[in-house]
Amino acid sequence: MTTADGRGHTNRPPEAQLPAHRDPYRAHPAPPTTNAPPAQHAADAAHDPQRLARAALTRIIEPGDETAGGWLRELGPAALWRALSGDGPPPRRASTTKLAGLRLRAARADPAADLATIHALGGRFVCPDDEEWPGQLNDLGDARPTGLWVRGTANLRLWALRSVALVGARACTEYGAHLAATLGAGLADRGWTVVSGAAYGVDGAAHRGAMAGDGATIAVLASGVDRAYPSGHAELIGRIAQQGLTVAELPPGDHPTRSRFIQRNRVIAALTRGTVVVEAEHRSGSLVTARRAQAMGRFTMGVPGPVTSALSAGVHQLLRGEATVVTNADEIVELVGSIGDLAPDIRGPVRAHDLLEPVAARVLEALPAHGGADTAQIARESGTPRDVTHGRLLELQSLGFVQRCGDRWELARRTETSEGSRRGGT
C-alpha cells in the first residue's frame, strides 16, 4: 500500500506473519535480552508484527479510550490494527462515527517510521509483554496504555517499583515550590523514584529536587517524548531524559491536548505506590491524579498549607476524605515503604529540667519564681518529706538549677540547654 504522502511503505502487517493473539492481562515469559546495537533493535522491532501494530495503535487510539482498549483485549493488537485500517472486519459494537474517525487516523499511521524515530533518539517502545513493562499499569484495565515510548537508559519497571508521584499546582507559591523540591530531594536520597508530569510549578520543582542529589526521576508527558512541553521546560525535560526517564503514550511528534493531560494523570497514578499533592485548587488535575490513585488502592497523601490560600483548598478538601497528611519524606516513605520504614518521632525541644526524675522536678517546681524559701517551706509546697527535699535540693544545686543563700534556696539564674545536663539521682 502506498500512503497519501507517496511513500512506499505499508502501514498494515501482512496477515501471514501475524501470530495467534495472546491475552494481554496474563503473564507471559519475558523476551530474551540481547546485546544487539540500537540499529539492530530498530530492525527487529520493524519486523515484529505485534510491536508494529501496537506502535501504530498509539497514533490511532486516544490515551485512556476504554472502548478501544476493550477491542484490543478481545482482538489483539495486529487484528485490531487490520480492523481499523480497513483490512479486516470492524470490531463488535463499533459505532460508524467512531470507526470512521479512527480509520482516518489509521491512514496516516507509520509505525515503522515512529519506531525508527524513537531509536534514533536513543529510546525504545515498551509493550505490555516486555520484561521492562511495569505490571502495575495493568490495574488500569481497558484504560491501560497500548504501549509506552521511553527515553533514558534506566529500566522503567525497576525504577517504578519504588516510586512516588509528587504533583501539584502549576502556578504554585514559593511555599509549594520549596516543599516540592525538598520532598523530591528527600525521597531521592532515600532511594525512591520521583514521578511527575514535567509541568511548571510543583512538577518541575519535584523533578529538580530529585535530580539535585543525582536521584531517580520519571517525567510522564502528555506529548511525544521528542516534544518538550511546556517549551519553557525544554532544558529540564532534556536533563530528565539523560539522567532519568521520560515516558509517553503518544508517539514521537504528537502534541498535548487538554484531555491528554487528564489521561496522562492516570498513568502517573497507576505507575507509583502513592501520590502526594503539594498544592492544588478545588478544580485541579492534581486532584484527578490523587483520586485515580485512591480508586486503584494506592496511597493518597497531601501536604497542608495555609487555610487562607486558594492553592491549598483542594489539598485540604482531599485531606478531609481518605488522604493522609504528610510533611516530609520520612512520613511519605513510612506509608508507601516496607515494614520497618518508620518516620522518626517528632518532638519539641528537650529542656534540662525535662531530664529530672519526678521527685526532683517536683521540688524544683516548689521554689518561688522570685526570692527564696527555706527547706521546710519547699518540703511543704512539694509534698515531700523534709530530709528527701534536702537531698533533692543538693542534687539540684550540683546540676546548676538552684543556689543556696544562707538557710534559703532560690532558683539559679541560668540558660536552659538540651546538652550537658544529666538526670538527677534517685
Side-chain angles (χ1 to χ4, degrees):
M1 172 181 172
T2 302
T3 59
D5 61 2
R7 288 178 290 179
H9 68 274
T10 177
N11 67 344
R12 301 178 185 127
E15 293 190 25
Q17 295 181 348
L18 300 181
H21 168 53
R22 296 189 295 172
D23 180 1
Y25 296 123
R26 183 162 55 87
H28 300 290
T33 57
T34 175
N35 293 322
Q40 183 62 49
H41 283 308
D44 292 344
H47 289 90
D48 179 351
Q50 298 291 350
R51 187 174 300 275
L52 206 64
R54 283 189 176 275
L57 291 172
T58 63
R59 197 169 284 283
I60 300 169
I61 299 171
E62 277 294 305
D65 185 337
E66 294 190 60
T67 300
W71 298 339
L72 178 59
R73 173 171 45 81
E74 293 171 2
L75 300 175
L80 179 58
W81 185 21
R82 287 198 303 271
L84 298 182
S85 299
D87 284 350
R92 290 185 300 167
R93 303 179 301 278
S95 70
T96 303
T97 302
K98 185 178 182 69
L99 187 60
L102 293 176
R103 282 182 170 170
L104 284 174
R105 287 187 168 186
R108 64 180 176 84
D110 188 351
D114 287 337
L115 289 169
T117 297
I118 192 65
H119 283 287
L121 293 169
R124 57 205 175 275
F125 180 58
V126 180
C127 297
D129 285 337
D130 292 346
E131 185 181 14
E132 193 180 357
W133 181 261
Q136 59 268 39
L137 291 179
N138 298 341
D139 291 348
L140 291 168
D142 287 341
R144 179 182 69 167
T146 304
L148 291 173
W149 302 87
V150 181
R151 290 184 68 187
T153 59
N155 184 293
L156 175 61
R157 182 181 68 83
L158 295 181
W159 271 27
L161 288 175
R162 283 169 55 90
S163 64
V164 176
L166 289 182
V167 297
R170 287 175 172 80
C172 68
T173 64
E174 290 185 9
Y175 165 81
H178 170 74
L179 276 177
T182 302
L183 293 175
L187 288 167
D189 186 57
R190 289 157 180 78
W192 286 79
T193 301
V194 174
V195 179
S196 200
Y200 291 130
V202 167
D203 288 18
H207 289 305
R208 291 188 184 96
M211 290 192 294
D214 292 327
T217 191
I218 299 174
V220 182
L221 307 180
S223 62
V225 291
D226 60 337
R227 293 193 62 168
Y229 189 91
S231 58
H233 272 179
E235 181 181 355
L236 173 64
I237 294 171
R239 283 181 57 208
I240 295 172
Q242 291 179 349
Q243 185 174 329
L245 291 170
T246 56
V247 177
E249 292 182 78
L250 296 166
D254 230 335
H255 62 278
T257 63
R258 182 178 178 82
S259 63
R260 289 172 175 178
F261 281 115
I262 297 298
Q263 293 302 330
R264 179 271 308 273
N265 293 343
R266 86 192 194 289
V267 176
I268 294 176
L271 191 64
T272 54
R273 288 201 196 179
T275 294
V276 182
V277 183
V278 177
E279 280 188 324
E281 295 181 295
H282 279 301
R283 287 177 57 86
S284 168
S286 302
L287 298 183
V288 173
T289 308
R291 286 170 181 144
R292 195 67 184 256
Q294 205 169 60
M296 288 186 290
R298 308 292 199 266
F299 292 100
T300 307
M301 297 153 277
V303 180
V307 295
T308 53
S309 172
L311 282 170
S312 290
V315 181
H316 296 159
Q317 182 185 36
L318 194 68
L319 292 172
R320 290 188 53 154
E322 297 180 8
T324 303
V325 173
V326 290
T327 60
N328 56 49
D330 286 325
E331 292 173 354
I332 296 171
V333 173
E334 182 177 64
L335 279 177
V336 302
S338 305
I339 294 175
D341 288 337
L342 300 178
D345 291 336
I346 299 176
R347 299 176 179 176
V350 177
R351 298 182 181 277
H353 71 265
D354 295 336
L355 304 176
L356 296 173
E357 56 90 25
V359 176
R362 192 164 65 244
V363 169
L364 180 62
E365 291 171 358
L367 268 75
H370 302 285
D374 60 29
T375 304
Q377 290 175 302
I378 298 171
R380 202 165 43 246
E381 289 295 325
S382 64
T384 307
R386 191 179 187 284
D387 56 338
V388 174
T389 299
H390 182 71
R392 293 298 179 264
L393 285 168
L394 293 174
E395 290 177 4
L396 293 169
Q397 183 183 31
S398 68
L399 292 171
F401 286 99
V402 300
Q403 59 191 19
R404 192 168 188 172
C405 298
D407 60 352
R408 299 175 68 80
W409 297 89
E410 61 183 34
L411 293 174
R413 300 296 172 238
R414 61 193 300 274
T415 303
E416 291 279 11
T417 178
S418 59
E419 299 178 356
S421 57
R422 59 182 177 86
R423 178 184 290 275
T426 55

